[in-house]
Amino acid sequence: MKKLITLLLLTAGFLLNAQIKGKITDKEGHGIPFVSVSIENTYNNTTANENGGYELPVKQPGKYTVVFQSIGFKTKKVTVNAQSLPHLQNVTLDDDNYELKEVVVNSGDNPANEIIRQAIAHKKENSEKLGRFEADFYSKGIFRVGNLPKKLMGMKIEGPEGLDKNGNGVIYLSETVSHLTFEQPNKLKERVIATKVSGSDNGFSYGTALTTFYNFYDDYVDFEVKMVSPLAKGAFGYYKYKFEGSTFDEQGHEINKIKIIPRRDKEPVFEGYIYIVSGSWAIYAVDVDIKGYRVQMPPLKSLKLQQNFSHNTSNGLWAKNSQTFDFEAGMFGINFTGKFTHVYSNYVFHDKFDKKTFGREVVSYEKDAIKKDSTYWTANRPVPLTDEETKDYIKKDSLRKVRENPARLDSIAKKHSRFGVLSVISGHSWNGTRRDSTNTKNIITSRFTYNGFEIPMYNTVQGWNTENGFSYSKYGGKLPFTASVTANYGLAEDRFRFRGAFSPYIRKVGTFHFTGGNSIVQFNPNEPISPLVNTISSLVFKNNYMKLYDKTFMGVSYSKTLFDRLSLTGGVEYSRRKALFNNTDYVLIKNTDDYFSNNPLNPLDNTSVPFATHYVTKATVDGQFIWPYDYMSTPYGGKVKLSDDNLPTLGFHYEKIFAANKEQYKYDFVSVSSTYRTSFDNKGNFGIAVNAGKFFGADGISFADYKHFNGNQTHYTTMDSRLKSFNLLPYYTASTNNSYLELHAEHDFNGYIMNKIPLLNLLQWNLIVGYHGLMTPDTKPYHEFTAGFGNIGLGAFRILRVDYVHSFQGNVATNGVMFSLAL
């Protein structure tokens, strides 16, 4: 019986490995990369590797007509008589000669223009013919690094394993095999059958079809920014076209070679070639270059994208069978290159799909998709590995085995547990571990962390201050949790403050969060001015905008997601609030100005307080509506949300002080908020945020409980706060215990307009405009209008944004300039 089973397994392995294989070369004997290879009039196809090697799977010996197709070479049909398998079939391709012919066109017209017009006129029908299908998909990606230094800007770089002494080598290699179901315009269902990453026995690649589905029949092709397709409806406004000749394939189709020439260099456009079939006006091939500055990615030097389409006489369709793109990028003298190879095969086209075919789960993984062994990959890999790729797998698998050696794991764990002299400042962690079932890996079960000292910051209440503390986390088991204790010390105040937290997670119940201690906090809990910005503002300009009070508290909160649609957090907190005063007037750069007081209601009076010491008990409920969203599953049971900018966020907040040492401190407050972001093709990105709220019974409440708005009195703001804050509004002048309506809107043209203006387009700046408004019953409406430029810099370093701001409130107008960095 064992011999029979062995024989059956060997036979199955032989059948899986049955193939026609060989090398494809030019007349000089050089390997031709990424040639599309297929059985005529079928969707059994593959792609050659970088060196021209190919392996075409077939089920049994016999006669086959194999078609070899590559951009720049004549399509070649070869009759292969494979009497046994595997069968060796080397092929030499001839250079393709695109002949210029007399084309009858309108007087003075470019012959390429008529071909492109026909392709645009027929693109909808050509696209719809390919609109519903199933197909097998294979992806292989490789990334290389060159000149990776040992140190960068004085800091030691821990390079990936496997690099040579000069910092050159492969840093990432992965493969994925999946099955696709697709329906236009953007419905996709992908089932990953197998995936692997070099150097990992359980890693999974993100190299799925999800983010690489580029359709040039669409008006725009999404590469971070919306690139204008050479077949877009308004393509003649972006491109000039040159007819470079035509040729005929083995089936007699006339193929026209059209050069794509950008009209303006800085716009989101392609350059290169597109090949159009006469008569059907379908795409035969795409060979385009994408420049980094055109897609707002300065480190990217260039990316070459190629697509090949094959014809099937049984249904008359030109379907994409292969796609490759390789890129070159670099910064700080470090070079990065990479290549991706995609193969689409075994198409099955459908007239329609059942309504239940597509759901929110876009990408899923079969069981053991990350555990497929070398036998599987040898049998199912449609594109053979190059010598470089084979060596990388061997090298990194060997390094992984060394890395997972139990003795080495114990040695590393022991080394990491050592507490050095610098650890007193920088901090240190100790991990609790156990061996996995194979005794080859240490699984972290707990972690104890000494945080070390934070970089000292400065404010006029505490003077120089820093924090330190400990935390402990327990992973897995019946009750995973995190616990922490933090100490804060202010030198001028000469005072320690301690706070603690304990957060257990109870499966099927939710997460609890217990807190308590003593803290120094900003009146605005959103902390509109960071400790670093306040430190610089105070020490250099003597502007102490941060206003603080003392809070002693204890509380508990609970969070849970209900019905996968509503995320809720509720909590109760008891606190004592106490006003604080300045304790220092230290400054680095001397001037005659005085520091403001710590009283936000009276910054010129150092003896008054914004509130008397009081005690309150507050209940809060926060909720966020979760729109149904698309997601990809992971092999480990998790979900990764796929971004959908066309869905707004909706949230609400309710709070109530129901107990206090004085009745005047009690109140109710409710607010709602929404944020929406969207893009307008190649015309930029738009965002808007609305926030409205109302207090009830709050006439005598503490200033600490007012609604405070995210103002700004410095000239610096963060990029991610643009739809949350104002630019010139003083921090606490608009605070209210009544109702309010807050609006923020911004449009980043992402190069649009600027890339059309001569000379200015050389700057590669992005025009950005915005509006910020606030209305309360107690003050006149406040408005801000902004106009500025982003993507400012040189070469690959474009991280600066500068805005001019004009604000007005009643008859009072203010102007200013704001700076921010995209870090």
Side-chain angles (χ1 to χ4, degrees):
M1 179 63 73
K2 289 183 179 179
K3 290 183 179 179
L4 177 59
I5 293 174
T6 302
L7 179 60
L8 290 172
L9 290 173
L10 290 173
T11 303
F14 170 77
L15 292 174
L16 287 171
N17 285 282
Q19 57 199 211
I20 300 170
K21 64 180 183 178
K23 187 171 184 178
I24 308 166
T25 58
D26 60 18
K27 288 183 177 180
E28 285 73 36
H30 302 129
I32 304 174
F34 310 124
V35 177
S36 177
V37 185
S38 63
I39 304 295
E40 186 180 30
N41 290 327
T42 74
Y43 293 111
N44 179 11
N45 57 272
T46 186
T47 298
N49 64 20
E50 291 182 58
N51 301 325
Y54 77 95
E55 294 177 358
L56 179 64
V58 292
K59 293 182 178 180
Q60 58 188 13
K63 276 191 176 183
Y64 298 92
T65 301
V66 183
V67 181
F68 298 85
Q69 175 187 343
S70 180
I71 296 172
F73 295 89
K74 285 186 177 296
T75 301
K76 188 169 188 175
K77 289 184 183 179
V78 176
T79 300
V80 177
N81 187 9
Q83 297 182 354
S84 62
L85 296 173
H87 177 84
L88 182 66
Q89 183 68 56
N90 295 325
V91 174
T92 299
L93 299 185
D94 296 326
D95 293 339
D96 209 344
N97 296 316
Y98 284 83
E99 298 180 359
L100 289 170
K101 61 180 181 179
E102 272 191 48
V103 182
V104 179
V105 295
N106 295 328
S107 177
D109 198 5
N110 179 345
N113 291 351
E114 180 59 26
I115 295 171
I116 294 298
R117 289 192 190 99
Q118 291 288 352
I120 294 174
H122 290 82
K123 73 172 186 170
K124 182 177 180 180
E125 65 184 77
N126 282 321
S127 183
E128 287 179 347
K129 289 176 182 178
L130 308 172
R132 298 179 185 88
F133 65 80
E134 292 183 66
D136 292 329
F137 176 76
Y138 168 78
S139 171
K140 178 171 66 176
I142 184 170
F143 293 82
R144 308 178 185 89
V145 65
N147 303 320
L148 184 68
K150 302 294 183 183
K151 288 186 177 182
L152 182 64
M153 301 176 69
M155 300 178 62
K156 185 178 179 180
I157 296 179
E158 292 289 343
E161 294 178 320
L163 302 186
D164 63 23
K165 62 180 181 180
N166 296 318
N168 304 320
V170 176
I171 59 175
Y172 180 81
L173 171 63
S174 73
E175 295 177 275
T176 297
V177 173
S178 62
H179 184 78
L180 308 180
T181 305
F182 177 79
E183 182 175 33
Q184 287 188 0
N186 53 15
K187 291 182 179 180
L188 175 68
K189 182 178 180 180
E190 182 171 8
R191 188 181 79 255
V192 178
I193 301 167
T195 181
K196 68 180 299 186
V197 177
S198 181
S200 174
D201 64 345
N202 64 356
F204 70 101
S205 166
Y206 284 96
T208 66
L210 175 64
T211 57
T212 57
F213 210 83
Y214 307 125
N215 185 0
F216 281 80
Y217 287 121
D218 291 339
D219 286 339
Y220 300 96
V221 184
D222 197 352
F223 281 92
E224 297 299 324
V225 302
K226 298 292 182 69
M227 303 284 288
V228 181
S229 169
L231 299 185
K233 293 178 182 177
F236 283 95
Y238 292 88
Y239 297 103
K240 294 183 289 185
Y241 301 93
K242 181 181 179 183
F243 179 68
E244 296 210 342
S246 62
T247 188
F248 291 87
D249 68 3
E250 291 285 335
Q251 297 175 345
H253 299 107
E254 184 181 32
I255 314 299
N256 300 288
K257 182 179 182 181
I258 308 297
K259 186 174 183 179
I260 305 166
I261 306 167
R263 288 187 178 274
R264 291 168 293 274
D265 179 57
K266 307 303 180 183
E267 291 187 304
V269 290
F270 301 95
E271 61 180 278
Y273 297 90
I274 188 168
Y275 299 77
I276 302 296
V277 183
S278 292
S280 67
W281 310 108
I283 298 175
Y284 172 83
V286 174
D287 181 11
V288 293
D289 291 326
I290 301 163
K291 304 300 184 184
Y293 58 84
R294 290 176 180 160
V295 292
Q296 302 284 309
M297 297 175 63
L300 177 67
K301 296 179 182 177
S302 65
L303 185 151
K304 174 177 281 292
L305 171 66
Q306 292 185 327
Q307 294 180 339
N308 282 296
F309 294 72
S310 60
H311 184 258
N312 190 315
T313 56
S314 61
N315 57 23
L317 299 181
W318 288 90
K320 181 169 59 179
N321 54 41
S322 69
Q323 177 176 275
T324 62
F325 60 88
D326 58 89
F327 70 87
E328 181 181 359
M331 59 190 310
F332 299 114
I334 307 171
N335 299 318
F336 298 93
T337 59
K339 291 181 182 291
F340 265 93
T341 304
H342 300 148
V343 177
Y344 300 83
S345 60
N346 300 319
Y347 279 100
V348 177
F349 291 94
H350 296 267
D351 293 328
K352 64 178 181 179
F353 285 117
D354 186 89
K355 291 182 179 180
K356 297 181 179 179
T357 300
F358 301 96
R360 294 297 176 183
E361 185 183 48
V362 178
V363 180
S364 63
Y365 286 79
E366 288 191 352
K367 183 180 179 181
D368 297 330
I370 60 176
K371 299 293 185 181
K372 296 291 194 297
D373 59 18
S374 58
T375 302
Y376 171 87
W377 285 102
T378 301
N380 292 276
R381 178 185 289 120
V383 180
L385 298 176
T386 63
D387 289 342
E388 178 189 37
E389 293 161 349
T390 300
K391 290 177 181 177
D392 188 72
Y393 274 131
I394 294 172
K395 178 194 295 184
K396 288 182 179 172
D397 283 345
S398 298
L399 289 172
R400 176 178 57 82
K401 292 177 181 178
V402 172
R403 186 172 64 245
E404 295 175 354
N405 181 279
R408 182 177 181 275
L409 292 175
D410 291 339
S411 175
I412 291 175
K414 185 177 180 180
K415 180 180 178 181
H416 285 174
S417 67
R418 294 171 186 165
F419 190 85
V421 175
L422 293 178
S423 299
V424 175
I425 303 297
S426 61
H428 194 72
S429 293
W430 295 263
N431 294 328
T433 61
R434 65 173 176 83
R435 291 282 167 74
D436 68 352
S437 58
T438 64
N439 199 39
T440 59
K441 293 182 180 179
N442 281 342
I443 298 175
I444 297 176
T445 58
S446 62
R447 175 172 293 153
F448 180 79
T449 301
Y450 164 68
N451 296 333
F453 289 92
E454 287 190 354
I455 298 174
M457 296 294 169
Y458 179 84
N459 63 66
T460 53
V461 174
Q462 295 180 288
W464 289 102
N465 62 92
T466 186
E467 287 192 351
N468 202 334
F470 302 88
S471 66
Y472 177 78
S473 298
K474 179 180 178 295
Y475 309 111
K478 294 183 178 179
L479 187 66
F481 68 86
T482 297
S484 65
V485 175
T486 303
N488 174 282
Y489 177 74
L491 184 62
E493 196 182 25
D494 191 21
R495 176 175 174 179
F496 280 99
R497 288 182 172 86
F498 297 91
R499 64 183 186 273
F502 175 64
S503 302
Y505 171 71
I506 303 176
R507 289 179 177 83
K508 297 183 180 180
V509 176
T511 301
F512 290 88
H513 190 56
F514 299 90
T515 59
N518 180 242
S519 293
I520 184 168
V521 297
Q522 293 191 43
F523 282 85
N524 186 342
N526 294 325
E527 299 185 348
I529 183 167
S530 69
L532 177 59
V533 172
N534 181 73
T535 298
I536 297 172
S537 177
S538 298
L539 295 178
V540 177
F541 304 104
K542 216 169 184 179
N543 291 323
N544 56 324
Y545 294 122
M546 182 183 288
K547 304 304 175 187
L548 305 161
Y549 70 90
D550 183 86
K551 177 181 175 182
T552 301
F553 64 97
M554 61 179 180
V556 59
S557 65
Y558 167 74
S559 61
K560 185 176 176 61
T561 298
L562 302 177
F563 320 115
D564 291 329
R565 292 292 177 267
L566 181 63
S567 175
L568 284 176
T569 299
V572 178
E573 180 186 83
Y574 167 83
S575 63
R576 184 216 65 178
R577 288 88 163 266
K578 181 181 178 181
L580 297 172
F581 297 90
N582 289 342
N583 289 294
T584 178
D585 61 356
Y586 176 76
V587 68
L588 286 179
I589 299 178
K590 303 293 183 181
N591 61 48
T592 58
D593 296 333
D594 293 324
Y595 273 120
F596 294 119
S597 76
N598 189 51
N599 182 354
L601 296 176
N602 196 346
L604 300 180
D605 186 349
N606 285 292
T607 61
S608 65
V609 294
F611 57 76
T613 301
H614 60 279
Y615 305 81
V616 297
T617 303
K618 178 189 291 187
T620 59
V621 177
D622 288 278
Q624 183 174 20
F625 179 77
I626 303 172
W627 295 97
Y629 60 85
D630 292 343
Y631 65 91
M632 66 177 292
S633 299
T634 70
Y636 314 111
K639 293 181 180 180
V640 178
K641 183 179 180 180
L642 303 177
S643 175
D644 192 341
D645 291 338
N646 292 320
L647 295 177
T649 63
L650 295 175
F652 66 87
H653 172 78
Y654 172 75
E655 67 183 52
K656 178 183 182 68
I657 287 185
F658 59 89
N661 63 318
K662 290 186 178 182
E663 194 69 20
Q664 70 186 63
Y665 295 124
K666 296 180 181 180
Y667 69 90
D668 292 86
F669 170 73
V670 63
S671 68
V672 293
S673 61
S674 180
T675 302
Y676 177 69
R677 299 176 189 273
T678 190
S679 62
F680 294 96
D681 296 326
N682 69 325
K683 297 173 180 62
N685 304 314
F686 175 76
I688 185 170
V690 181
N691 186 6
K694 169 68 176 175
F695 285 87
F696 300 91
D699 291 343
I701 68 173
S702 166
F703 189 71
D705 292 312
Y706 274 49
K707 169 62 182 179
H708 305 293
F709 302 98
N710 298 333
N712 199 337
Q713 290 173 265
T714 70
H715 291 280
Y716 176 78
T717 188
T718 59
M719 296 289 281
D720 62 353
S721 68
R722 293 291 183 168
L723 292 182
K724 304 175 185 177
S725 61
F726 298 90
N727 293 280
L728 301 179
L729 178 70
Y731 291 104
Y732 295 103
T733 57
S735 299
T736 184
N737 62 345
N738 204 326
S739 59
Y740 67 90
L741 174 64
E742 184 179 2
L743 173 66
H744 304 273
E746 182 175 273
H747 186 80
D748 183 344
F749 286 91
N750 216 16
Y752 187 72
I753 296 178
M754 287 290 293
N755 56 29
K756 299 179 182 297
I757 304 174
L759 297 181
L760 289 181
N761 61 6
L762 299 177
L763 297 173
Q764 300 176 45
W765 293 358
N766 294 342
L767 175 63
I768 306 169
V769 296
Y771 168 78
H772 307 269
L774 175 64
M775 289 185 288
T776 68
D778 307 318
T779 59
K780 293 181 179 180
Y782 176 83
H783 305 278
E784 285 183 355
F785 293 91
T786 66
F789 297 102
N791 203 44
I792 301 174
L794 296 173
F797 305 97
R798 294 185 168 273
I799 61 174
L800 178 62
R801 172 175 165 176
V802 180
D803 290 272
Y804 168 75
V805 185
H806 174 73
S807 71
F808 62 91
Q809 187 172 25
N811 296 323
V812 179
T814 307
N815 299 286
V817 177
M818 300 299 295
F819 300 88
S820 54
L821 298 175
L823 299 176

